[in-house]
Amino acid sequence: MTKLPKISGKELCNILEKLGFKKIYGKGSHVRFKHDDGRRTVVPVHGNEDLGPGLLTAILKQIKITREEFEELI
């Protein structure tokens, strides 16, 4: 299994929007996204700080894409 690439919360928000997720709430340091098919997730945005590998894995499970699909989007 390969390591996940380092990515910030801001970069992940841009990727989610490309995938068709819509920002439904963005107060403070957390942004909520929802897709038309019902998938949801919350992304912490703390400046340009990178997301931890465990958190990124959990978000990928919530949006139901594989690591390989994610790496192609970057």
Side-chain angles (χ1 to χ4, degrees):
M1 187 178 290
T2 61
K3 279 188 166 183
L4 283 169
K6 297 282 185 183
I7 187 169
S8 71
K10 288 180 183 178
E11 293 169 324
L12 184 57
C13 289
N14 291 335
I15 291 172
L16 289 172
E17 288 173 349
K18 287 181 191 175
L19 290 172
F21 283 82
K22 294 182 180 110
K23 185 172 156 180
I24 57 172
Y25 186 77
K27 186 174 183 181
S29 61
H30 291 78
V31 181
R32 295 181 193 166
F33 286 93
K34 182 179 179 185
H35 197 273
D36 291 337
D37 63 9
R39 294 179 287 170
R40 296 172 169 254
T41 193
V42 178
V43 178
V45 180
H46 300 122
N48 282 331
E49 186 177 325
D50 290 337
L51 300 174
L55 178 59
L56 187 53
T57 302
I59 291 172
L60 294 179
K61 285 182 184 178
Q62 291 171 359
I63 63 174
K64 297 178 181 159
I65 66 170
T66 64
R67 287 175 173 235
E68 292 78 24
E69 292 170 332
F70 175 70
E71 289 173 358
E72 290 173 10
L73 295 170
I74 295 178

